[in-house]
Amino acid sequence: MTLAELNRGDSAQIIAIDSKKNSVQRLMIMGLVEGTEIEFLGRSLGGDPIELLIHGSALSLRQTDARHFTVTLAAKKIEANFYR
């Protein structure tokens, strides 16, 4: 699965990168490296670009670049609400 295949609200971890393109190498410099955890925030109306949350910052990137990042889905966090 790649970054381009994620859905809104998905959390994932980057496990592999095809870094042959210069644009992908620039994204790696910005923190998209193996082991990085990301959250998929959404995509524009036309589907491109997509928006990710990485290290507390939103990052937009094109689908063509997102396809170079292989990810694995993270387990969904269960939020408990406690009422007193």
Side-chain angles (χ1 to χ4, degrees):
M1 170 178 268
T2 67
L3 285 176
E5 299 172 76
L6 295 175
N7 296 308
R8 186 181 188 132
D10 284 348
S11 293
Q13 184 176 31
I14 298 172
I15 57 172
I17 304 167
D18 176 9
S19 60
K20 294 177 186 127
K21 286 183 64 178
N22 287 338
S23 59
V24 172
Q25 292 173 9
R26 285 192 291 273
L27 291 168
M28 292 173 67
I29 291 169
M30 295 172 63
L32 285 173
V33 294
E34 289 180 14
T36 300
E37 294 181 5
I38 59 95
E39 181 180 341
F40 191 90
L41 297 177
R43 56 184 87 241
S44 69
L45 290 175
D48 200 17
I50 64 171
E51 187 174 24
L52 308 171
L53 183 65
I54 172 174
H55 302 298
S57 298
L59 175 68
S60 294
L61 64 144
R62 294 180 296 237
Q63 292 253 2
T64 55
D65 290 333
R67 289 185 185 104
H68 293 274
F69 294 87
T70 304
V71 298
T72 184
L73 287 175
K76 299 248 183 198
K77 293 180 183 176
I78 299 174
E79 296 183 22
N81 292 322
F82 296 97
Y83 297 99
R84 294 183 182 179

Coordinates of all heavy atoms in Angstrom, one line a residue:
M1 N 0.8 -1.2 0.0 CA 0.0 0.0 0.0 C 0.9 1.2 0.0 O 1.9 1.2 0.6 CB -0.9 0.0 1.2 CG -1.7 1.2 1.5 SD -2.8 1.1 2.9 CE -4.2 0.6 2.1
T2 N 0.5 2.3 -0.7 CA 1.3 3.5 -0.8 C 0.5 4.6 -0.1 O -0.7 4.5 0.2 CB 1.6 3.9 -2.2 OG1 0.3 4.3 -2.9 CG2 2.2 2.8 -3.0
L3 N 1.2 5.8 0.1 CA 0.6 6.9 0.7 C -0.7 7.4 -0.1 O -1.6 7.8 0.4 CB 1.5 8.1 0.7 CG 2.6 8.1 1.8 CD1 3.5 9.3 1.7 CD2 2.0 8.1 3.2
A4 N -0.6 7.2 -1.5 CA -1.7 7.6 -2.3 C -3.0 6.8 -2.1 O -4.0 7.2 -2.5 CB -1.2 7.5 -3.8
E5 N -2.8 5.6 -1.5 CA -4.0 4.7 -1.3 C -4.7 4.9 0.0 O -5.7 4.2 0.3 CB -3.5 3.3 -1.5 CG -3.0 3.0 -2.9 CD -2.4 1.6 -3.0 OE1 -3.2 0.6 -3.0 OE2 -1.1 1.5 -2.9
L6 N -4.2 5.7 0.9 CA -4.7 5.9 2.2 C -6.1 6.7 2.1 O -6.3 7.4 1.2 CB -3.8 6.6 3.1 CG -2.5 5.9 3.4 CD1 -1.5 6.8 4.3 CD2 -2.7 4.6 4.2
N7 N -6.9 6.5 3.2 CA -8.1 7.2 3.3 C -8.1 8.2 4.5 O -7.2 8.0 5.4 CB -9.3 6.2 3.5 CG -9.5 5.3 2.3 OD1 -9.6 5.8 1.2 ND2 -9.5 4.0 2.6
R8 N -9.0 9.1 4.5 CA -9.0 10.2 5.5 C -9.1 9.5 6.9 O -9.8 8.6 7.1 CB -10.2 11.0 5.3 CG -10.3 12.2 6.3 CD -11.5 13.0 6.0 NE -11.4 14.2 6.9 CZ -11.6 15.4 6.4 NH1 -11.9 15.6 5.2 NH2 -11.4 16.4 7.3
G9 N -8.2 10.0 7.8 CA -8.1 9.4 9.1 C -7.2 8.3 9.3 O -6.9 7.9 10.5
D10 N -6.7 7.7 8.3 CA -5.8 6.5 8.4 C -4.4 7.0 9.0 O -3.9 8.1 8.6 CB -5.5 5.9 7.0 CG -6.6 5.0 6.5 OD1 -7.5 4.7 7.3 OD2 -6.6 4.7 5.3
S11 N -3.9 6.2 9.9 CA -2.6 6.4 10.4 C -1.7 5.3 9.8 O -2.1 4.1 9.7 CB -2.5 6.3 11.9 OG -3.2 7.4 12.5
A12 N -0.5 5.6 9.4 CA 0.4 4.6 8.8 C 1.9 5.0 9.1 O 2.2 6.0 9.6 CB 0.2 4.7 7.3
Q13 N 2.7 4.0 8.8 CA 4.1 4.2 9.0 C 4.8 3.8 7.7 O 4.5 2.9 7.0 CB 4.7 3.2 10.1 CG 6.1 3.4 10.4 CD 6.6 2.5 11.5 OE1 6.0 1.4 11.7 NE2 7.6 3.0 12.3
I14 N 5.8 4.7 7.3 CA 6.5 4.5 6.0 C 7.5 3.3 6.2 O 8.2 3.3 7.2 CB 7.2 5.8 5.6 CG1 6.3 6.9 5.4 CG2 8.1 5.5 4.4 CD1 6.9 8.2 5.1
I15 N 7.4 2.3 5.3 CA 8.3 1.2 5.5 C 9.3 1.0 4.3 O 10.3 0.3 4.4 CB 7.5 -0.1 5.6 CG1 6.5 -0.3 4.4 CG2 6.7 -0.2 6.9 CD1 5.8 -1.7 4.4
A16 N 9.0 1.7 3.2 CA 10.0 1.7 2.1 C 9.7 2.9 1.2 O 8.6 3.4 1.1 CB 9.8 0.4 1.3
I17 N 10.8 3.3 0.5 CA 10.7 4.5 -0.4 C 11.5 4.2 -1.7 O 12.6 3.7 -1.7 CB 11.4 5.7 0.3 CG1 10.7 6.0 1.6 CG2 11.3 6.9 -0.6 CD1 11.5 6.9 2.5
D18 N 10.8 4.5 -2.8 CA 11.5 4.4 -4.1 C 12.0 5.8 -4.3 O 11.3 6.7 -4.7 CB 10.5 4.0 -5.2 CG 11.1 4.0 -6.6 OD1 12.4 4.2 -6.7 OD2 10.4 3.9 -7.5
S19 N 13.3 6.1 -4.1 CA 13.9 7.4 -4.0 C 14.6 7.9 -5.3 O 15.5 8.7 -5.2 CB 14.8 7.5 -2.8 OG 15.8 6.6 -2.9
K20 N 14.2 7.3 -6.4 CA 14.9 7.7 -7.6 C 14.6 9.1 -8.1 O 15.5 9.7 -8.7 CB 14.6 6.7 -8.7 CG 15.2 5.3 -8.4 CD 14.8 4.3 -9.4 CE 15.3 2.9 -9.0 NZ 14.2 1.9 -9.0
K21 N 13.4 9.6 -7.9 CA 13.0 10.9 -8.4 C 13.5 12.0 -7.4 O 13.5 11.9 -6.2 CB 11.5 11.0 -8.4 CG 10.9 10.3 -9.6 CD 9.4 10.5 -9.6 CE 9.0 11.9 -9.9 NZ 7.6 12.2 -10.0
N22 N 14.0 13.1 -8.0 CA 14.5 14.3 -7.2 C 13.4 14.8 -6.3 O 13.7 15.2 -5.1 CB 15.0 15.4 -8.1 CG 16.3 15.0 -8.8 OD1 17.0 14.2 -8.3 ND2 16.6 15.7 -9.9
S23 N 12.1 14.8 -6.7 CA 11.0 15.4 -5.9 C 10.8 14.5 -4.7 O 10.5 15.0 -3.6 CB 9.7 15.5 -6.7 OG 9.4 14.2 -7.2
V24 N 11.0 13.2 -4.8 CA 10.9 12.3 -3.7 C 12.0 12.5 -2.7 O 11.9 12.5 -1.5 CB 10.8 10.8 -4.1 CG1 10.9 9.8 -3.0 CG2 9.6 10.6 -5.0
Q25 N 13.2 12.7 -3.2 CA 14.4 13.0 -2.3 C 14.2 14.3 -1.5 O 14.5 14.3 -0.4 CB 15.6 13.1 -3.2 CG 16.0 11.7 -3.8 CD 17.2 11.8 -4.7 OE1 17.8 12.8 -4.9 NE2 17.4 10.7 -5.4
R26 N 13.5 15.3 -2.1 CA 13.3 16.5 -1.4 C 12.3 16.2 -0.3 O 12.4 16.8 0.8 CB 12.7 17.6 -2.4 CG 13.8 18.2 -3.2 CD 13.3 19.4 -3.9 NE 12.4 19.2 -5.0 CZ 12.7 18.8 -6.2 NH1 13.9 18.8 -6.6 NH2 11.7 18.6 -7.1
L27 N 11.3 15.4 -0.5 CA 10.3 15.1 0.5 C 11.0 14.3 1.6 O 10.6 14.5 2.8 CB 9.2 14.2 -0.1 CG 8.2 15.0 -1.0 CD1 7.3 14.1 -1.8 CD2 7.4 16.0 -0.2
M28 N 12.0 13.5 1.3 CA 12.7 12.7 2.3 C 13.5 13.7 3.2 O 13.5 13.5 4.5 CB 13.6 11.7 1.7 CG 12.9 10.6 1.0 SD 14.0 9.5 0.1 CE 15.0 8.8 1.5
I29 N 14.0 14.8 2.7 CA 14.7 15.8 3.4 C 13.7 16.5 4.4 O 14.1 16.9 5.5 CB 15.4 16.8 2.5 CG1 16.5 16.2 1.8 CG2 15.8 18.1 3.3 CD1 17.1 17.0 0.6
M30 N 12.4 16.6 4.0 CA 11.4 17.2 4.8 C 10.9 16.3 5.9 O 10.0 16.7 6.7 CB 10.3 17.7 3.9 CG 10.7 18.8 3.0 SD 9.4 19.2 1.8 CE 8.2 19.9 2.8
G31 N 11.4 15.0 6.0 CA 11.0 14.1 7.1 C 10.2 12.9 6.7 O 9.9 12.1 7.5
L32 N 9.9 12.7 5.4 CA 9.2 11.5 4.9 C 10.3 10.4 4.7 O 10.8 10.2 3.6 CB 8.4 11.8 3.7 CG 7.1 12.5 3.8 CD1 6.5 12.9 2.5 CD2 6.1 11.8 4.7
V33 N 10.7 9.8 5.8 CA 11.7 8.7 5.7 C 11.1 7.4 6.4 O 10.1 7.5 7.0 CB 13.0 9.1 6.5 CG1 13.6 10.3 5.8 CG2 12.7 9.5 7.9
E34 N 11.8 6.3 6.1 CA 11.4 5.0 6.7 C 11.2 5.2 8.2 O 12.1 5.7 8.9 CB 12.3 3.9 6.3 CG 12.3 3.6 4.8 CD 13.3 2.5 4.5 OE1 13.8 1.8 5.4 OE2 13.5 2.3 3.3
G35 N 10.1 4.6 8.7 CA 9.9 4.6 10.1 C 9.0 5.8 10.6 O 8.5 5.8 11.7
T36 N 8.8 6.8 9.7 CA 8.0 8.0 10.1 C 6.5 7.6 10.1 O 6.0 6.9 9.2 CB 8.2 9.1 9.1 OG1 9.6 9.5 9.1 CG2 7.4 10.3 9.4
E37 N 5.8 8.0 11.2 CA 4.4 7.8 11.3 C 3.7 9.0 10.8 O 4.1 10.2 11.1 CB 4.0 7.6 12.8 CG 4.6 6.3 13.3 CD 4.2 6.0 14.7 OE1 3.4 6.7 15.3 OE2 4.7 5.0 15.2
I38 N 2.7 8.8 10.0 CA 1.9 9.9 9.4 C 0.4 9.6 9.6 O 0.0 8.5 9.9 CB 2.2 10.1 7.9 CG1 1.9 8.8 7.1 CG2 3.6 10.4 7.6 CD1 0.5 8.8 6.5
E39 N -0.4 10.7 9.5 CA -1.8 10.6 9.5 C -2.3 11.2 8.2 O -1.9 12.3 7.8 CB -2.4 11.3 10.7 CG -4.0 11.2 10.7 CD -4.6 11.9 11.9 OE1 -3.9 12.2 12.9 OE2 -5.8 12.2 11.8
F40 N -3.2 10.5 7.5 CA -3.8 11.0 6.3 C -4.9 12.0 6.6 O -5.9 11.6 7.2 CB -4.3 9.9 5.4 CG -4.6 10.3 4.0 CD1 -3.7 10.2 3.0 CD2 -5.9 10.7 3.7 CE1 -4.0 10.6 1.7 CE2 -6.2 11.0 2.4 CZ -5.3 11.0 1.4
L41 N -4.8 13.3 6.2 CA -5.8 14.3 6.6 C -6.9 14.4 5.5 O -8.0 14.6 5.8 CB -5.1 15.6 6.8 CG -4.2 15.7 7.9 CD1 -3.5 17.1 8.0 CD2 -4.9 15.4 9.2
G42 N -6.5 14.2 4.2 CA -7.5 14.2 3.2 C -6.9 14.5 1.8 O -5.7 14.6 1.7
R43 N -7.8 14.8 0.9 CA -7.3 15.1 -0.5 C -8.2 16.2 -1.0 O -9.3 16.4 -0.5 CB -7.3 13.9 -1.4 CG -8.6 13.1 -1.5 CD -8.5 11.8 -2.4 NE -8.1 10.7 -1.5 CZ -7.0 10.0 -1.7 NH1 -6.2 10.3 -2.7 NH2 -6.7 9.0 -1.0
S44 N -7.7 16.9 -2.0 CA -8.5 18.0 -2.6 C -9.7 17.5 -3.4 O -9.8 16.3 -3.6 CB -7.6 18.9 -3.5 OG -7.3 18.1 -4.6
L45 N -10.6 18.3 -3.8 CA -11.8 17.9 -4.5 C -11.5 17.0 -5.7 O -12.1 16.1 -6.0 CB -12.6 19.1 -5.0 CG -13.3 19.8 -3.8 CD1 -14.0 21.1 -4.3 CD2 -14.2 19.0 -3.1
G46 N -10.4 17.3 -6.5 CA -10.0 16.5 -7.6 C -9.2 15.3 -7.3 O -8.9 14.5 -8.1
G47 N -8.9 15.2 -6.0 CA -8.1 14.0 -5.5 C -6.6 14.3 -5.5 O -5.8 13.4 -5.0
D48 N -6.2 15.4 -6.0 CA -4.7 15.7 -6.0 C -4.5 17.2 -5.8 O -5.1 18.0 -6.4 CB -4.2 15.3 -7.4 CG -2.7 15.1 -7.4 OD1 -2.1 14.9 -6.3 OD2 -2.1 15.1 -8.5
P49 N -3.8 17.6 -4.8 CA -2.8 16.8 -3.9 C -3.5 16.2 -2.7 O -4.7 16.5 -2.5 CB -1.8 17.9 -3.5 CG -2.7 19.2 -3.4 CD -3.7 19.1 -4.5
I50 N -2.7 15.4 -2.0 CA -3.2 14.9 -0.7 C -2.5 15.6 0.4 O -1.5 16.3 0.2 CB -2.9 13.4 -0.6 CG1 -1.4 13.1 -0.6 CG2 -3.6 12.6 -1.7 CD1 -1.0 11.7 -0.3
E51 N -3.1 15.5 1.6 CA -2.5 16.2 2.8 C -2.3 15.3 3.9 O -3.1 14.4 4.2 CB -3.5 17.4 3.2 CG -2.9 18.2 4.3 CD -3.8 19.4 4.7 OE1 -5.0 19.3 4.5 OE2 -3.2 20.4 5.2
L52 N -1.1 15.3 4.5 CA -0.7 14.5 5.5 C -0.3 15.3 6.8 O 0.1 16.4 6.7 CB 0.6 13.7 5.1 CG 0.5 12.9 3.8 CD1 1.9 12.4 3.5 CD2 -0.5 11.8 3.9
L53 N -0.4 14.6 7.9 CA 0.1 15.2 9.2 C 1.4 14.5 9.5 O 1.4 13.2 9.7 CB -0.9 15.1 10.3 CG -0.6 15.7 11.6 CD1 -0.4 17.2 11.4 CD2 -1.6 15.4 12.7
I54 N 2.5 15.2 9.6 CA 3.8 14.6 9.9 C 4.5 15.5 10.9 O 4.7 16.7 10.6 CB 4.6 14.4 8.6 CG1 6.0 13.9 8.9 CG2 4.6 15.6 7.7 CD1 6.9 13.6 7.7
H55 N 4.9 14.9 12.0 CA 5.6 15.6 13.0 C 4.9 16.9 13.5 O 5.5 17.9 13.7 CB 7.1 15.9 12.6 CG 7.9 14.7 12.3 ND1 8.2 13.7 13.1 CD2 8.4 14.4 11.1 CE1 8.9 12.8 12.5 NE2 9.1 13.2 11.3
G56 N 3.6 16.8 13.5 CA 2.8 18.0 13.9 C 2.5 19.0 12.9 O 1.9 20.1 13.2
S57 N 3.0 18.8 11.7 CA 2.8 19.8 10.6 C 2.0 19.2 9.4 O 2.2 18.0 9.1 CB 4.1 20.3 10.1 OG 4.8 21.0 11.1
A58 N 1.2 20.0 8.8 CA 0.5 19.5 7.6 C 1.4 19.6 6.4 O 2.1 20.6 6.2 CB -0.8 20.3 7.4
L59 N 1.4 18.6 5.5 CA 2.2 18.5 4.3 C 1.4 18.1 3.2 O 0.7 17.1 3.3 CB 3.4 17.6 4.5 CG 4.3 17.3 3.3 CD1 5.1 18.6 3.0 CD2 5.2 16.2 3.6
S60 N 1.4 18.8 2.1 CA 0.6 18.5 0.9 C 1.6 17.9 -0.2 O 2.7 18.5 -0.3 CB -0.1 19.7 0.3 OG -1.1 20.1 1.2
L61 N 1.2 16.9 -0.8 CA 2.1 16.4 -1.9 C 1.2 15.7 -3.0 O 0.1 15.4 -2.8 CB 3.1 15.4 -1.4 CG 2.6 14.1 -0.8 CD1 3.6 13.0 -1.2 CD2 2.6 14.2 0.7
R62 N 1.8 15.7 -4.2 CA 1.1 15.1 -5.4 C 1.0 13.6 -5.3 O 1.8 13.0 -4.7 CB 1.9 15.5 -6.6 CG 1.9 17.0 -6.9 CD 2.7 17.2 -8.2 NE 4.1 16.8 -8.0 CZ 5.1 17.7 -8.2 NH1 4.9 18.9 -8.6 NH2 6.3 17.2 -7.9
Q63 N -0.1 13.1 -5.9 CA -0.3 11.7 -5.9 C 0.9 10.9 -6.5 O 1.3 9.9 -6.1 CB -1.6 11.3 -6.7 CG -2.8 11.8 -6.0 CD -3.6 10.7 -5.4 OE1 -3.2 9.5 -5.5 NE2 -4.7 11.0 -4.8
T64 N 1.4 11.5 -7.6 CA 2.6 10.9 -8.3 C 3.7 10.7 -7.3 O 4.4 9.6 -7.4 CB 3.0 11.7 -9.5 OG1 3.3 13.0 -9.1 CG2 1.9 11.7 -10.6
D65 N 4.0 11.6 -6.5 CA 5.1 11.5 -5.5 C 4.7 10.5 -4.4 O 5.5 9.7 -3.9 CB 5.5 12.8 -4.9 CG 6.2 13.7 -5.9 OD1 6.8 13.1 -6.9 OD2 6.1 14.9 -5.8
A66 N 3.4 10.6 -3.9 CA 2.9 9.7 -2.8 C 3.0 8.2 -3.2 O 3.2 7.4 -2.3 CB 1.5 10.1 -2.5
R67 N 2.9 7.9 -4.5 CA 3.0 6.5 -4.9 C 4.4 5.9 -4.7 O 4.6 4.7 -4.7 CB 2.6 6.4 -6.3 CG 1.1 6.6 -6.5 CD 0.7 6.3 -8.0 NE -0.7 6.7 -8.2 CZ -1.1 7.8 -8.8 NH1 -0.2 8.7 -9.3 NH2 -2.4 8.1 -8.9
H68 N 5.4 6.7 -4.4 CA 6.8 6.2 -4.2 C 7.0 5.8 -2.7 O 8.1 5.3 -2.4 CB 7.8 7.3 -4.6 CG 7.8 7.5 -6.1 ND1 8.5 6.7 -7.0 CD2 7.1 8.4 -6.8 CE1 8.3 7.2 -8.2 NE2 7.4 8.2 -8.1
F69 N 6.0 6.0 -1.8 CA 6.2 5.7 -0.4 C 5.3 4.6 0.0 O 4.1 4.7 0.0 CB 5.8 6.9 0.4 CG 6.8 8.1 0.2 CD1 6.6 9.0 -0.8 CD2 7.9 8.3 1.1 CE1 7.4 10.1 -1.0 CE2 8.8 9.3 0.9 CZ 8.5 10.2 -0.1
T70 N 5.9 3.4 0.3 CA 5.2 2.3 0.8 C 4.9 2.4 2.3 O 5.8 2.7 3.0 CB 5.9 1.0 0.4 OG1 6.2 0.9 -1.0 CG2 5.2 -0.3 0.8
V71 N 3.7 2.1 2.7 CA 3.3 2.2 4.1 C 2.6 1.0 4.6 O 2.1 0.2 3.8 CB 2.4 3.5 4.3 CG1 3.1 4.8 3.9 CG2 1.1 3.3 3.6
T72 N 2.6 0.9 5.9 CA 1.7 -0.1 6.5 C 0.8 0.6 7.5 O 1.2 1.6 8.1 CB 2.6 -1.1 7.3 OG1 1.8 -2.2 7.8 CG2 3.4 -0.5 8.4
L73 N -0.5 0.2 7.5 CA -1.4 0.8 8.4 C -1.1 0.6 9.8 O -0.7 -0.5 10.2 CB -2.8 0.3 8.1 CG -3.5 0.8 6.8 CD1 -4.8 0.2 6.6 CD2 -3.6 2.3 6.8
A74 N -1.3 1.6 10.6 CA -1.1 1.5 12.1 C -2.4 1.1 12.7 O -3.5 1.4 12.2 CB -0.6 2.9 12.7
A75 N -2.3 0.5 13.8 CA -3.5 0.1 14.5 C -4.3 1.3 15.0 O -3.7 2.3 15.4 CB -3.2 -0.8 15.8
K76 N -5.6 1.3 14.8 CA -6.4 2.5 15.2 C -6.4 2.6 16.7 O -6.5 1.6 17.4 CB -7.8 2.3 14.7 CG -8.0 2.1 13.2 CD -8.7 3.3 12.7 CE -8.8 3.1 11.2 NZ -9.1 4.3 10.5
K77 N -6.2 3.8 17.1 CA -6.2 4.1 18.6 C -7.7 4.2 19.0 O -8.5 4.9 18.4 CB -5.5 5.4 18.9 CG -4.0 5.4 18.6 CD -3.4 6.7 18.9 CE -1.9 6.7 18.5 NZ -1.3 8.0 18.7
I78 N -8.0 3.5 20.1 CA -9.3 3.6 20.7 C -9.3 4.6 21.8 O -8.5 4.6 22.7 CB -9.7 2.2 21.2 CG1 -9.7 1.2 20.1 CG2 -11.1 2.3 21.9 CD1 -9.9 -0.2 20.6
E79 N -10.1 5.6 21.6 CA -10.2 6.7 22.6 C -11.4 6.4 23.5 O -12.5 6.2 23.0 CB -10.4 8.1 21.9 CG -9.2 8.4 21.0 CD -9.4 9.8 20.4 OE1 -10.2 10.6 20.9 OE2 -8.8 10.0 19.4
A80 N -11.1 6.3 24.8 CA -12.2 6.1 25.7 C -12.7 7.4 26.3 O -11.9 8.3 26.6 CB -11.6 5.2 26.8
N81 N -14.0 7.5 26.4 CA -14.6 8.7 27.1 C -15.1 8.2 28.4 O -15.9 7.3 28.6 CB -15.7 9.2 26.2 CG -15.3 9.8 24.9 OD1 -14.3 10.4 24.9 ND2 -16.1 9.6 23.9
F82 N -14.6 8.9 29.4 CA -15.0 8.6 30.8 C -15.9 9.7 31.3 O -15.5 10.9 31.3 CB -13.8 8.4 31.7 CG -13.0 7.2 31.3 CD1 -11.8 7.4 30.5 CD2 -13.3 5.9 31.7 CE1 -11.1 6.3 30.1 CE2 -12.6 4.8 31.3 CZ -11.4 5.0 30.5
Y83 N -17.0 9.4 31.8 CA -18.0 10.4 32.3 C -18.0 10.2 33.8 O -18.1 9.1 34.3 CB -19.3 10.2 31.7 CG -19.3 10.5 30.2 CD1 -19.3 9.4 29.3 CD2 -19.4 11.8 29.7 CE1 -19.3 9.6 28.0 CE2 -19.3 12.0 28.3 CZ -19.3 10.9 27.5 OH -19.3 11.1 26.1
R84 N -18.0 11.3 34.5 CA -18.1 11.2 36.0 C -19.4 11.8 36.4 O -20.0 12.6 35.9 CB -17.0 12.0 36.6 CG -15.6 11.3 36.3 CD -14.5 12.0 37.0 NE -13.3 11.3 36.7 CZ -12.2 11.7 37.1 NH1 -12.0 12.7 37.9 NH2 -11.1 11.0 36.7

